[in-house]
Amino acid sequence: MTGAAVHAKAQTESIARWLTSSSPHPAVAREAWHAARPAMLRTGVPYDAVRMPLALVHAAAESSAPDVVAGVLAEVLDGPVICHPRHWYYALVPPGTCETWRSAEAVVRGRGGWLGIPRPDSTEPTPATPYWAVPVEQAGKLCSAAAVAKLLRVGRNRLEGVAS
């Protein structure tokens, strides 16, 4: 294995440990990932999750094409985003965001919530199963809650025909 491959494997393992750190049984999450299923993990400890309506995200990106949306989300949010096809996007944000969130466009899952988290390397768009629209680059790197709220306002304004 090359040095780069070893580094990539260590990085993926670090990300997996971080994603599952809210679970008293991280092996259960890894089993789900091994079976190509999302792991049901608690929010509120390593991250909260803003549940963003598909329509608002697509309006903000001015596209529903997965690669275009992913590019816009990566640029604007600069943090990990999960796509649950046909329903929602989830931006991972700092823990505690749930207590301070004031945007009417979306809700935050914080302490006590659950979220289906795809395997760290599940980045290919699928029609039905969750995947990373914007993958986790490093453990602990999250989206800014303010950037998420702004993205949702832009989407709402575009849907309503209001200049942003």
Side-chain angles (χ1 to χ4, degrees):
M1 200 180 277
T2 67
V6 169
H7 176 72
K9 184 175 179 171
Q11 180 76 358
T12 300
E13 181 56 33
S14 172
I15 290 167
R17 272 194 312 277
W18 174 70
L19 287 170
T20 62
S21 65
S22 67
S23 174
H25 307 288
V28 174
R30 291 174 184 272
E31 287 173 17
W33 289 341
H34 184 70
R37 294 188 322 265
M40 291 305 297
L41 294 169
R42 289 186 180 274
T43 55
V45 178
Y47 44 80
D48 282 0
V50 178
R51 185 180 75 183
M52 304 181 294
L54 206 68
L56 290 183
V57 173
H58 290 173
E62 298 184 288
S63 177
S64 61
D67 59 331
V68 173
V69 174
V72 169
L73 293 173
E75 181 180 330
V76 172
L77 301 183
D78 193 33
V81 180
I82 298 167
C83 179
H84 281 231
R86 299 190 307 256
H87 301 289
W88 311 102
Y89 285 89
Y90 290 89
L92 299 189
V93 295
T97 298
C98 189
E99 286 85 36
T100 60
W101 185 256
R102 299 292 176 256
S103 172
E105 282 83 31
V107 297
V108 180
R109 290 190 177 167
R111 192 172 290 279
W114 293 86
L115 182 61
I117 304 280
R119 220 169 69 178
D121 63 351
S122 294
T123 59
E124 288 299 314
T126 68
T129 58
Y131 65 91
W132 292 100
V134 181
V136 180
E137 290 179 359
Q138 68 184 50
K141 184 176 183 218
L142 297 165
C143 299
S144 151
V148 174
K150 183 177 180 181
L151 174 93
L152 293 169
R153 274 192 311 277
V154 167
R156 171 66 61 206
N157 289 341
R158 286 187 176 148
L159 283 177
E160 293 175 352
V162 177
S164 325

